[in-house]
Amino acid sequence: MSDTKGRLDDTLGEILARRKARGRLRKLSNTPTDFVDFSSNGYLSLSTNLEIQKSLLSRLQAEVATPKDSNGSRDSHRSLLGSGGSRLLDGNSPFAESLEDKIASFHGAEAALLFTSAYDANTGLLGSVPQPGDVIIYDELIHASVHEGMRVSRAAKKIPFAHSSISEAQRGRTTDTKESRAISGSKNQGLGHVLRELAKDERVASCKANVFICVEGLYSMDGDTILLKEIVETVDQYLPSGNGYIIVDEAHSVGVFGKDGRGLVCQLGLEDRIWARVLGFGKAIGCAGGVVLCSPVTRSYLINYAKSLIYTTSMTFTSLASIDVVYDFLVSGQSEPLRRYLETLIYYTRHKLCALYTRLRPDRHTLYVEETTLKSPIIPVLTASPRSLAEHCQRFGFMVRPIVSPTVPAGSERVRICLHFANTKKQVDELCDVIEAWVRNQMSKVASQGNTESLKLKEIAHVFAKGDKPRL
Ligand SMILES: Cc1ncc(COP(=O)(O)O)c(C=O)c1O
């Protein structure tokens, strides 16, 4: 190794050591196959669905058996492995285009454009569409890929708004004072306030500047959905000339919400009111990749300007075929029973966790479970000791993950439980028993420390406060 490389490694090593000292060092790990999965985002367990797997295999076999041409060249079979290049060069195919048509029509959109990931779809969309002078407003908990898109975007302003907070009344306040913002836990204003202030800008009022409003359909850390109808109304109210463009990231809500898993926008019948949707295939859909649902003009614009589409090798036939067989499954209505079972499991698990919390009454640093009627497969179990709780569950064979700052705002650390079609009520019972044992143990530790609060507990007096850090 040359001296220069050694020096760089020293520098990187020091940065990593500092990160480790802050308890934030990330490491790759392999999930043991015999663990019960309460962690992955495959909410419908489609990637392990035998019917879908069989369909994929026969699609691949049919593709291999079909010669590309009959001229007897050595390159006479289609490629299952690589696409051959960017969509703009040799990586396009009638199959990719027909899949886009199928996806657009299923979700009630005019057009669709595939990306190799939803991350790329967000960076491509936000990085290219907003023009100089435009404004992007985003939910403070928006995904890291939207932050990355905004970072490279030419938009003049990027303004966060308090998570899921639309009107002042909704945040339980009548005036927008510093104190009321502190109570709601966010330093940011609600969407209504941000738009009201923005509407005073002459360029916005006269439609010389466009305003993009970015939200998610289902937030992956809190498991909550957005009040999309209210967002549409608020945008209409403050930007009546129509220069407010709503973008909904449905990475987590596609497959989970709406008829046959069409997503939140379809569930609410807002297809015509949302300017663009970003769907991810890596979560409930059980594959990998992403897509932007938009107008044909926007699609054409992205083909011309979205760098994450232009300068990358497009999806392989195998990836496209995986998405295609899953969409066939959705279109045929076969996913409905899966979603119905998942819904009962969500209700069951929330009920069990809330009962546990009510019965044990731990202090909020030890454990807190919010009582909600959310039909979301993501359930955050808040605790100031997420690593300890997650390790405890893992010791008993349940894969749950600790989620710590900066992925979530400091003070709102948690263990995230993700439910799947493949999970059983018995597994949920066992997980809850394991969590209960940990809570009891923590409570007895606290009791034996007497009534004196530890310094750590004091430090996290702001537990559950929210900030505007990007999520990963
Ligand atoms: C809200 C949201 N958007 C986009 C992405 C990126 O998805 P992909 O894994 O397809 O890149 C994620 C993934 O974690 C996400 O949670």
Side-chain angles (χ1 to χ4, degrees):
M1 190 196 302
S2 75
D3 273 2
T4 332
K5 194 171 165 200
R7 276 207 302 277
L8 177 57
D9 273 358
D10 289 346
T11 309
L12 301 182
E14 279 163 24
I15 295 170
L16 288 172
R18 284 201 295 276
R19 189 170 193 137
K20 190 172 180 189
R22 293 197 307 273
R24 289 185 179 176
L25 190 68
R26 294 182 165 114
K27 278 194 214 141
L28 297 178
S29 65
N30 286 311
T31 308
T33 46
D34 55 348
F35 270 38
V36 179
D37 179 13
F38 280 113
S39 168
S40 82
N41 298 132
Y43 312 114
L44 293 177
S45 307
L46 294 185
S47 67
T48 50
N49 181 300
L50 206 56
E51 285 308 306
I52 294 178
Q53 292 189 355
K54 280 186 197 157
S55 305
L56 176 61
L57 287 176
S58 42
R59 191 74 60 87
L60 296 181
Q61 265 155 5
E63 188 67 12
V64 173
T66 314
K68 191 169 77 170
D69 53 46
S70 51
N71 62 14
S73 77
R74 275 191 284 167
D75 187 18
S76 62
H77 285 285
R78 300 186 196 209
S79 167
L80 294 186
L81 290 87
S83 67
S86 155
R87 273 305 277 284
L88 277 101
L89 300 173
D90 304 294
N92 194 29
S93 64
F95 183 40
E97 290 182 357
S98 70
L99 177 59
E100 286 172 336
D101 290 344
K102 182 188 280 189
I103 292 170
S105 134
F106 180 68
H107 295 283
E110 287 182 88
L113 185 64
L114 290 162
F115 285 77
T116 46
S117 68
Y119 192 100
D120 281 352
N122 272 327
T123 58
L125 184 67
L126 285 147
S128 68
V129 172
Q131 304 294 312
D134 286 351
V135 180
I136 304 173
I137 303 178
Y138 60 95
D139 186 313
E140 64 190 358
L141 295 189
I142 202 83
H143 190 256
S145 51
V146 173
H147 279 274
E148 186 59 16
M150 290 195 287
R151 196 180 62 79
V152 295
S153 153
R154 292 161 300 164
K157 285 188 205 158
K158 295 134 195 179
I159 313 170
F161 68 92
H163 174 56
S164 273
S165 170
I166 297 150
S167 66
E168 269 109 296
Q170 192 198 323
R171 294 178 80 192
R173 63 180 195 246
T174 46
T175 52
D176 211 358
T177 62
K178 218 171 161 188
E179 297 75 56
S180 57
R181 283 201 294 281
I183 290 165
S184 81
S186 172
K187 63 180 169 52
N188 295 315
Q189 310 281 3
L191 177 64
H193 181 101
V194 172
L195 283 172
R196 180 154 44 89
E197 290 303 304
L198 205 58
K200 294 176 189 162
D201 181 327
E202 194 277 322
R203 284 181 52 78
V204 171
S206 63
C207 284
K208 287 195 191 98
N210 292 316
V211 181
F212 296 89
I213 301 99
C214 301
V215 293
E216 291 181 26
L218 171 61
Y219 286 83
S220 62
M221 295 299 151
D222 290 343
D224 57 333
T225 51
I226 39 156
L227 298 166
L228 197 53
K229 274 195 174 145
E230 286 81 348
I231 289 183
V232 169
E233 283 162 16
T234 308
V235 171
D236 281 353
Q237 180 187 348
Y238 293 109
L239 301 172
S241 307
N243 53 333
Y245 298 93
I246 302 172
I247 301 175
V248 184
D249 179 331
E250 294 229 47
H252 287 271
S253 45
V254 66
V256 174
F257 296 134
K259 181 160 176 359
D260 298 320
R262 284 174 168 80
L264 184 72
V265 171
C266 290
Q267 178 171 303
L268 300 173
L270 294 172
E271 295 89 325
D272 296 338
R273 306 304 317 278
I274 303 304
W275 175 72
R277 281 172 270 172
V278 172
L279 312 184
F281 303 129
K283 324 286 183 200
I285 302 298
C287 304
V291 72
V292 175
L293 303 179
C294 54
S295 71
V297 173
T298 304
R299 180 176 184 274
S300 179
Y301 181 90
L302 292 172
I303 290 170
N304 280 276
Y305 293 102
K307 292 190 176 154
S308 55
L309 176 99
I310 301 167
Y311 299 107
T312 191
T313 302
S314 64
M315 271 194 252
T316 63
F317 177 84
T318 310
S319 293
L320 296 172
S322 316
I323 299 164
D324 194 47
V325 293
V326 171
Y327 266 85
D328 283 348
F329 188 80
L330 299 180
V331 171
S332 66
Q334 291 179 80
S335 68
E336 272 306 324
L338 279 60
R339 226 173 343 273
R340 273 202 297 277
Y341 169 76
L342 185 61
E343 217 173 275
T344 56
L345 196 70
I346 291 166
Y347 176 79
Y348 182 79
T349 311
R350 283 192 184 278
H351 179 76
K352 280 223 76 156
L353 285 168
C354 285
L356 184 157
Y357 177 68
T358 316
R359 191 160 19 89
L360 301 183
R361 289 255 159 250
D363 64 59
R364 284 188 157 218
H365 314 110
T366 303
L367 190 103
Y368 176 67
V369 185
E370 200 185 356
E371 202 167 341
T372 72
T373 51
L374 284 174
K375 289 179 183 164
S376 148
I378 303 162
I379 306 179
V381 175
L382 285 102
T383 170
S385 311
R387 286 205 173 88
S388 163
L389 175 56
E391 276 164 20
H392 173 82
C393 295
Q394 288 167 16
R395 260 198 304 279
F396 286 88
F398 298 100
M399 182 46 76
V400 291
R401 307 259 180 205
I403 314 278
V404 298
S405 165
T407 302
V408 290
S412 71
E413 283 79 9
R414 68 208 50 196
V415 161
R416 183 175 61 165
I417 297 177
C418 292
L419 297 171
H420 314 95
F421 169 74
N423 291 132
T424 62
K425 287 186 178 169
K426 184 166 172 283
Q427 289 171 345
V428 170
D429 290 344
E430 287 166 358
L431 176 68
C432 288
D433 288 348
V434 167
I435 293 175
E436 176 163 348
W438 181 84
V439 174
R440 285 189 186 282
N441 189 263
Q442 294 294 107
M443 287 169 77
S444 64
K445 269 195 217 159
V446 171
S448 69
Q449 278 165 8
N451 289 330
T452 40
E453 263 192 322
S454 72
L455 192 58
K456 189 178 172 209
L457 296 191
K458 274 186 188 156
E459 272 170 14
I460 53 163
H462 61 294
V463 155
F464 316 129
K466 306 209 175 211
D468 62 349
K469 296 252 170 54
R471 288 191 293 104
L472 299 180

